[in-house]
Amino acid sequence: MKYYILAGEASGDLHGSNLMKALYKQDPEAEIRFWGGELMQEVGGTLVTHYKERAFMGFMEVITNLRKISGLIKECKRDIARFEPDALILIDNSGFNLRIAEWAHPLGVITHYYISPQVWASRSGRVKKIKACVDHMYVILPFVKDFYDTYDYDVNFVGHPLLDAVANREQADAVAFAQEHNLDERPMIALLPGSRTQEINAMLEVMLSVIPNYPDYQFVIAGAPSQEATFYESFLKNHDVQLVMNKTYDILSFANAALITSGTATLEAAIFKVPQVVCYKANAVSYSIAKRIIKTKYISLVNLIMDREVVKELIQGDLNTKNLKHELDKITNDSYREQLFTDYFELEKKLGGAGASDKTAKLIVDITNSENN
């Protein structure tokens, strides 16, 4: 069958690549066309547009790029119409993907949404739109299924794909990794400032500001696949820090602690059992708007899933050198780390076990076969 997949951002590329592998297992003759990144491209199929083309963070950034976004949506609709897929698979990235679903569904295209838009966090009124234009929803967090149940919308809880992504990776050799990236024997503190240009600019400098306080540790920036190494050069000039590009999982597997921009990486660090401080700072206008519409108590996936504060969140004005040092002191302390590890194991149980990609692919293939016959 023919599958058209729309994924945005580095995390969407990761989950899309694993879903594509599972689809090819279920349907070896599958023809796949997609919007995504390098990881999806390595699996096969045809890349139409890279997610870098639409990596906008925050309300103001979206508003100032409306013309470009509108053009990409028109291009996407034309390409889907030409391809005539048996199934349209949308991965997260709701601002873009829901517009495509609204257009495609009335045309009779079977729509599958993998990794639900965060309607449980803000603008829950979008559930009505989702029910109207998404035929099949696959959620990766247990509380999200409970949320949709209250709206009488039957969705599939498939478990979290990060469990598969972490379990299936090839473990790097510690000595070889250190030699390749000029690392020494000191314990490592990982800096994960995000993947978008705006968030890296907002977060990385304050993360770097704590380095002089920790001479017994070495700091490593996890360079995002959406950026070129040259982008980070201005941040490296005045700091004792190493940059390692496109090796986030290897970095987390060796890290003693981490400072992380809120997003998927907070959950990845938890699965790797890395003590962390969650950081978030946005454009003042974007943050003001977000604060009015987001209804959750927490911003990190770790705390949202556990429904309590497991990891510290430093948001907006609270994200400063003094607070960051205070929290980093705590997560490098053995007694604090012990409790954190216990919480991380409890978190992993809540995620529903391995096999999310395979479960989702089987459901998509079976449903699409059934509805096309």
Side-chain angles (χ1 to χ4, degrees):
M1 294 184 291
K2 295 165 72 175
Y3 306 87
Y4 202 104
I5 305 177
L6 292 175
E9 304 182 337
S11 60
D13 183 35
L14 171 65
H15 300 321
S17 68
N18 288 323
L19 180 63
M20 285 172 66
K21 290 173 190 173
L23 283 170
Y24 279 128
K25 279 190 218 169
Q26 294 287 329
D27 184 0
E29 301 301 315
E31 187 178 347
I32 301 177
R33 195 168 174 85
F34 63 92
W35 292 41
E38 288 86 356
L39 295 178
M40 294 173 74
Q41 198 169 17
E42 286 171 10
V43 178
T46 302
L47 173 64
V48 182
T49 300
H50 198 287
Y51 66 78
K52 290 179 186 176
E53 295 295 318
R54 50 201 176 100
F56 306 111
M57 181 185 106
F59 297 99
M60 289 304 297
E61 290 77 12
V62 169
I63 289 169
T64 55
N65 285 280
L66 277 177
R67 180 174 291 183
K68 182 175 182 180
I69 294 168
S70 178
L72 288 167
I73 289 171
K74 288 177 183 176
E75 178 188 334
C76 184
K77 290 176 180 178
R78 283 194 297 266
D79 199 59
I80 293 171
R82 283 193 296 265
F83 187 61
E84 297 182 337
D86 295 294
L88 173 62
I89 304 169
L90 312 165
I91 300 177
D92 202 0
N93 199 33
S94 64
F96 192 92
N97 285 346
L98 280 179
R99 293 190 191 184
I100 299 299
E102 280 187 293
W103 164 83
H105 188 268
L107 300 177
V109 180
I110 301 172
T111 51
H112 302 263
Y113 214 123
Y114 180 42
I115 308 178
S116 166
Q118 294 182 356
V119 286
W120 41 269
S122 66
R123 295 179 290 160
S124 57
R126 289 179 293 168
V127 174
K128 184 177 180 181
K129 180 193 294 186
I130 290 170
K131 287 179 70 172
C133 66
V134 175
D135 295 303
H136 306 283
M137 175 71 75
Y138 311 90
V139 303
I140 62 175
L141 299 169
F143 68 83
V144 178
K145 178 167 175 55
D146 295 338
F147 167 84
Y148 277 122
D149 283 345
T150 64
Y151 287 87
D152 196 28
Y153 185 40
D154 188 24
V155 304
N156 301 284
F157 171 57
V158 294
H160 207 293
L162 282 181
L163 294 174
D164 296 331
V166 172
N168 296 337
R169 61 179 287 275
E170 185 177 339
Q171 175 62 47
D173 178 78
V175 174
F177 184 81
Q179 289 176 344
E180 181 184 355
H181 301 292
N182 300 314
L183 304 178
D184 55 44
E185 295 180 353
R186 290 176 296 170
M188 180 198 301
I189 294 177
L191 306 180
L192 281 69
S195 59
R196 301 183 186 97
T197 300
Q198 298 102 314
E199 61 189 359
I200 297 170
N201 283 330
M203 246 73 66
L204 185 51
E205 199 60 55
V206 69
M207 290 179 176
L208 293 168
S209 71
V210 301
I211 291 178
N213 298 289
Y214 299 93
D216 295 332
Y217 290 86
Q218 59 186 328
F219 286 74
V220 176
I221 300 170
S226 56
Q227 302 292 342
E228 300 296 331
T230 52
F231 168 72
Y232 296 91
E233 286 178 359
S234 63
F235 296 101
L236 303 177
K237 290 176 183 174
N238 302 315
H239 300 284
D240 179 18
V241 63
Q242 295 295 326
L243 170 68
V244 176
M245 295 298 299
N246 304 329
K247 299 281 184 183
T248 299
Y249 280 11
D250 290 342
I251 292 169
L252 287 175
S253 72
F254 300 129
N256 184 268
L259 308 180
I260 303 180
T261 293
S262 178
T264 305
T266 62
L267 193 53
E268 290 171 320
I271 294 170
F272 275 101
K273 310 299 182 289
V274 180
Q276 62 182 291
V277 181
V278 178
C279 307
Y280 183 79
K281 183 176 283 187
N283 169 288
V285 176
S286 293
Y287 180 72
S288 177
I289 295 170
K291 199 173 178 183
R292 286 181 172 85
I293 65 173
I294 293 174
K295 306 300 181 186
T296 59
K297 287 186 287 185
Y298 307 106
I299 62 167
S300 71
L301 285 169
V302 174
N303 292 343
L304 284 166
I305 294 165
M306 295 293 282
D307 196 27
R308 58 187 172 87
E309 185 180 86
V310 170
V311 295
K312 183 65 178 180
E313 300 175 352
L314 295 178
I315 304 171
Q316 213 64 3
D318 290 335
L319 179 59
N320 56 55
T321 305
K322 179 183 175 182
N323 289 342
L324 207 49
K325 180 184 178 301
H326 176 73
E327 296 304 327
L328 192 51
D329 285 344
K330 285 166 62 177
I331 65 171
T332 52
N333 178 285
D334 285 342
S335 61
Y336 187 88
R337 292 163 67 86
E338 201 171 304
Q339 180 57 50
L340 200 48
F341 292 143
T342 300
D343 289 335
Y344 280 167
F345 282 111
E346 184 184 339
L347 167 74
E348 199 162 323
K349 287 181 186 176
K350 288 178 177 282
L351 291 177
S357 303
D358 287 334
K359 291 172 195 170
T360 305
K362 186 174 189 319
L363 284 166
I364 289 172
V365 171
D366 288 350
I367 289 168
T368 307
N369 260 324
S370 167
E371 296 192 9
N372 281 334
N373 292 329

